[in-house]
Amino acid sequence: MYQKVKEMVDTIYPQLVAIRRDLHQHPELGLEEYRTSQIVLDYLNEWGITVSQLIGETAIVGLIEGEYGDKTIGLRADMDALPIDEKTGASYASLVPGKMHACGHDVHTTILLGAAYILKQLQHDFKGNVKLFFQPAEETVGGAKQMIQAGCLEHPHVNHVLGLHVRPTLNVGEVGFHYGKCHAASDTIFLTIHGKQAHGAYPQDGIDAILIASHVVTALQSLVSRNLSPFESAVLSLGMIEGGTAGNVVCDQVKIRGTLRTLDQTTRAFMKKRLTEVAIHTAEAFGGMADVYLEEGYAPLINAHAITDAVAHVAKQVVGDDNVIMMEHPSLGVEDFAYFAEAVPSCFYNLGTANPQKGIQGMLHENTFDIDEDAIKVGVCLQVLATLHLLS
């Protein structure tokens, strides 16, 4: 089957490159992927693939029904771009000022279209179903969560979801996997310290919110080193602080903003609880008050071991054992595929896209990011063959 799929990918590769370059030239931000969504719809309709659900204004769910079988595999691609001015100088560079596919979602969309086309041709060769998730707003509000809430994992029920992400730290032809913890959860921290204003000459009449904030910041920085096990991971970063009205006035209010990153829900809950307790009680100890608000971001992305094993097994057949990289450390960055992995056992893996010989090595979210387009072939082969393997 590998040789057959590879030949099919080679046949449609020029069209996939053209699709990717067109998408790259016309980037759209989260929840604004109207043109991209219409292109996807046009191809699915042209290829006779059922569009089983339209969610919001841009999310699309496609369905390919194989022979009778009760298992369904989901394949996901995010479609949105970033608010970045492109500086690659490529002939297919963004035509939209201030917008760029600097995270490779144009590649993800192209790969899923390629996989969809091939799986449609093979639908009588497998049992079960394949659902195609063309997802908006990964970079902003978490389109994956919205799609799941709208029922994309049901009718038919999806057993597993596969997702990939281009990775410029890996060369084209390499594929990277994480077992278990893959990407972090994120929570945004909003702290407001309340004191009492007074003349700077008479500090005893006031309650100094700046002094309190200083102790709160110091105390919070001890949470990771002294409250969390050395075998667990968290990052607490306080990146903004503001307060005070004049140099000779005791400050009555300080605002602190930051972010908390954790790799599992247990550590996440513990850190949020301790952060809140420490901030409130430290402020009270100095006669002030602290308001703590934690805005929940994306969930942690946890890969299922069995599904990761299955995809890694396929990857070794496609790129060879030496090019399958087991990633030593999880990423503290976030990824909303986490919601799929939280809902059903899933696998999210990294697709190498760098090629130093061609000068292609810009990092994600940089204005010089680009890929070696041979990675598209690898991505389509992997998604198709991993899907067939899981269905069998």
Side-chain angles (χ1 to χ4, degrees):
M1 182 59 75
Y2 166 65
Q3 191 58 38
K4 181 177 181 179
V5 170
K6 182 179 181 299
E7 289 172 0
M8 296 175 76
V9 173
D10 288 340
T11 300
I12 65 168
Y13 177 64
Q15 183 181 15
L16 295 180
V17 170
I19 291 172
R20 182 259 164 165
R21 293 186 177 190
D22 178 62
L23 294 176
H24 192 87
Q25 286 183 304
H26 301 91
E28 297 171 301
L29 302 182
L31 302 180
E32 299 175 2
E33 309 94 337
Y34 303 110
R35 182 182 184 275
T36 304
S37 182
Q38 188 59 54
I39 288 171
V40 169
L41 273 174
D42 289 345
Y43 278 113
L44 296 184
N45 289 330
E46 178 185 337
W47 298 334
I49 295 173
T50 301
V51 176
S52 63
Q53 203 174 7
L54 296 172
I55 301 170
E57 296 185 357
T58 56
I60 299 169
V61 180
L63 175 64
I64 302 171
E65 296 177 288
E67 297 299 308
Y68 177 77
D70 59 1
K71 182 176 280 191
T72 300
I73 304 300
L75 300 177
R76 174 271 204 166
D78 37 13
M79 301 185 292
D80 56 323
L82 288 161
I84 293 175
D85 267 313
E86 182 162 355
K87 303 294 183 184
T88 61
S91 61
Y92 47 82
S94 172
L95 299 174
V96 185
K99 298 180 184 180
M100 176 192 175
H101 271 295
C103 203
H105 296 183
D106 55 330
V107 185
H108 303 168
T109 302
T110 301
I111 287 172
L112 184 51
L113 281 171
Y117 174 83
I118 292 174
L119 287 165
K120 177 63 177 177
Q121 309 310 305
L122 299 175
Q123 70 181 123
H124 299 300
D125 294 339
F126 61 82
K127 294 182 179 181
N129 310 293
V130 180
K131 295 188 86 170
L132 313 165
F133 303 135
F134 291 92
Q135 179 212 303
E138 190 279 328
E139 300 286 358
T140 53
V141 298
K145 188 173 186 179
Q146 296 178 358
M147 291 186 73
I148 293 168
Q149 290 173 341
C152 75
L153 293 177
E154 302 302 330
H155 312 296
H157 173 71
V158 174
N159 300 89
H160 311 294
V161 183
L162 304 182
L164 56 77
H165 202 295
V166 296
R167 188 62 54 187
T169 56
L170 298 174
N171 288 327
V172 64
E174 294 180 328
V175 185
F177 291 92
H178 290 93
Y179 281 93
K181 298 174 183 179
C182 183
H183 281 268
S186 68
D187 295 286
T188 302
I189 302 164
F190 297 89
L191 302 178
T192 303
I193 309 298
H194 300 281
K196 180 184 176 184
Q197 198 173 75
H199 194 295
Y202 311 106
Q204 71 278 7
D205 295 334
I207 298 173
D208 191 346
I210 289 178
L211 176 65
I212 297 172
S214 301
H215 283 272
V216 168
V217 169
T218 300
L220 292 180
Q221 291 303 324
S222 72
L223 293 183
V224 174
S225 64
R226 288 296 176 266
N227 283 227
L228 195 64
S229 165
F231 300 105
E232 302 296 336
S233 295
V235 175
L236 174 62
S237 297
L238 303 174
M240 191 182 84
I241 186 167
E242 57 180 11
T245 57
N248 63 344
V249 176
V250 173
C251 174
D252 66 341
Q253 188 180 91
V254 172
K255 294 182 178 180
I256 303 170
R257 303 290 180 268
T259 183
L260 174 66
R261 303 290 175 111
T262 48
L263 289 168
D264 60 74
Q265 294 289 19
T266 301
T267 304
R268 186 186 200 182
F270 171 78
M271 287 294 292
K272 289 165 73 172
K273 177 176 180 290
R274 286 298 292 141
L275 186 155
T276 301
E277 292 172 345
V278 168
I280 290 173
H281 294 314
T282 301
E284 288 176 346
F286 286 89
M289 294 176 57
D291 293 331
V292 182
Y293 174 65
L294 297 171
E295 183 177 84
E296 186 171 291
Y298 294 172
L301 200 171
I302 312 295
N303 276 335
H305 278 63
I307 310 306
T308 304
D309 259 343
V311 181
H313 171 75
V314 172
K316 289 176 181 178
Q317 295 176 340
V318 174
V319 298
D321 289 13
D322 292 344
N323 289 317
V324 173
I325 313 299
M326 295 304 165
M327 313 292 279
E328 184 176 0
H329 301 294
S331 168
L332 272 297
V334 298
E335 165 57 60
D336 80 344
F337 185 87
Y339 295 111
F340 289 114
E342 192 174 49
V344 295
S346 300
C347 175
F348 187 75
Y349 61 95
N350 297 305
L351 181 69
T353 56
N355 191 329
Q357 284 75 32
K358 295 181 181 179
I360 300 173
Q361 47 195 349
M363 292 294 105
L364 294 172
H365 289 219
E366 291 184 0
N367 59 16
T368 58
F369 174 74
D370 200 359
I371 70 154
D372 184 326
E373 290 173 324
D374 283 348
I376 295 172
K377 292 183 181 182
V378 179
V380 175
C381 279
L382 278 172
Q383 290 293 71
V384 170
L385 292 168
T387 298
L388 297 176
H389 182 59
L390 289 170
L391 286 173
S392 69

